[in-house]
Amino acid sequence: MCRSIKTLRPPFTESVTPEDVRAAALQYVRKISGFRAPAPHNAEAFDRAVEEITRASEELLAALQVRGSR
């Protein structure tokens, strides 16, 4: 699932921008919802999910400790 979302941690990538994290969250929400762009009545839930997944992803990346990295 979501095979085209790239890994956002070293050593797979050296620098990750907030835009990278948000793009991955957006792609994930699109995949699981089945909507590229939600209908107006679903837009709030869709956008909220993207923001929550972005935040959770940023927290995850900040907390990870990669062993053997330099």
Side-chain angles (χ1 to χ4, degrees):
M1 184 173 180
C2 298
R3 292 182 188 132
S4 61
I5 295 175
K6 66 181 183 177
T7 302
L8 297 178
R9 68 161 181 83
F12 300 100
T13 187
E14 289 303 316
S15 67
V16 177
T17 66
E19 293 79 21
D20 293 330
V21 178
R22 188 177 190 293
L26 176 60
Q27 189 172 8
Y28 177 76
V29 172
R30 285 176 173 168
K31 182 70 171 185
I32 64 168
S33 70
F35 297 119
R36 173 150 171 56
H41 63 278
N42 289 325
E44 183 179 336
F46 188 93
D47 293 341
R48 186 173 52 248
V50 171
E51 295 311 315
E52 289 177 10
I53 293 168
T54 298
R55 182 184 44 75
S57 298
E58 288 170 340
E59 290 175 8
L60 171 65
L61 291 170
L64 290 176
Q65 296 179 17
V66 180
R67 292 185 177 187
S69 66
R70 297 177 185 196

